[in-house]
Amino acid sequence: MDVFFYAVPAVIMAGAIFMAVVVVRRSLDMSRAWNSGLIAEARCLRSYTTTSGGGDTSVSTTLHHVYEFMTRDGRTVRFEEPNGPATIVEGDIVPVHYTAERPEKATAHAPRRGLLAAGTVFTLVFCTVIVLFCIGFMVGVHGFFSMDDSSGGDGFEGTGLPF
């Protein structure tokens, strides 16, 4: 059963690392779009909400928008973006920022570099704390099981956890 004390923290660490990678990628995509200087008028084709949670947990609602715009070279691009303003409805025309290389990574969010940086840093610190806690837990459990093994492994002697 020792594996359980290593596998669960490892899965939690993998989730935290994955979340950090996703947040950094999205942050870089938005930054590149804002810095490219390319702006187009996009039409909101659709807006909808998704919900998650319920039961014993709180319900979270996310507003999504689907936009379509034409790039400077004449390509029509459609993209979806979560967490947009509730004031944008189907048919509205909004400015979008995009890069020439990857226009599908466009954003309709207005440039707020400080807020983006603060959110990214907060998420990275949060994920780092989770990873460090999991590593500490695994080291502590390893020490505990090592003590048990060195005493012959024939029973718990009441020494307790080493932390």
Side-chain angles (χ1 to χ4, degrees), residues 60-128:
S60 173
T61 303
T62 304
L63 179 63
H64 300 262
H65 291 95
V66 178
Y67 299 104
E68 186 175 77
F69 68 98
M70 187 171 292
T71 62
R72 287 189 179 170
D73 60 3
R75 289 186 291 161
T76 300
V77 177
R78 186 178 292 188
F79 72 99
E80 179 181 326
E81 188 169 50
N83 300 319
T87 55
I88 296 175
V89 295
E90 292 180 27
D92 283 354
I93 304 293
V94 296
V96 293
H97 301 265
Y98 69 98
T99 61
E101 303 82 36
R102 302 205 51 199
E104 68 278 357
K105 298 285 186 179
T107 182
H109 292 288
R112 293 185 297 204
R113 290 170 179 83
L115 186 62
L116 178 67
T120 303
V121 168
F122 175 80
T123 303
L124 290 177
V125 168
F126 178 73
C127 291
T128 301

Side-chain angles (χ1 to χ4, degrees), residues 16-161:
I17 292 168
F18 178 75
M19 185 169 81
V21 168
V22 167
V23 166
V24 167
R25 278 187 178 167
R26 181 62 184 152
S27 177
L28 290 173
D29 288 342
M30 289 180 76
S31 229
R32 286 183 192 119
W34 289 338
N35 293 332
S36 73
L38 297 175
I39 301 173
E41 286 187 346
R43 177 176 304 276
C44 178
L45 301 177
R46 181 174 173 228
S47 64
Y48 64 95
T49 58
T50 56
T51 56
S52 60
D56 293 338
T57 62
S58 62
V59 176
S60 173
T61 303
T62 304
L63 179 63
H64 300 262
H65 291 95
V66 178
Y67 299 104
E68 186 175 77
F69 68 98
M70 187 171 292
T71 62
R72 287 189 179 170
D73 60 3
R75 289 186 291 161
T76 300
V77 177
R78 186 178 292 188
F79 72 99
E80 179 181 326
E81 188 169 50
N83 300 319
T87 55
I88 296 175
V89 295
E90 292 180 27
D92 283 354
I93 304 293
V94 296
V96 293
H97 301 265
Y98 69 98
T99 61
E101 303 82 36
R102 302 205 51 199
E104 68 278 357
K105 298 285 186 179
T107 182
H109 292 288
R112 293 185 297 204
R113 290 170 179 83
L115 186 62
L116 178 67
T120 303
V121 168
F122 175 80
T123 303
L124 290 177
V125 168
F126 178 73
C127 291
T128 301
V129 168
I130 289 173
V131 168
L132 291 176
F133 177 80
C134 288
I135 290 171
F137 178 81
M138 290 167 65
V139 168
V141 165
H142 180 74
F144 176 76
F145 285 127
S146 294
M147 281 192 327
D148 189 42
D149 290 343
S150 65
S151 68
D154 53 351
F156 182 73
E157 298 179 12
T159 57
L161 291 172

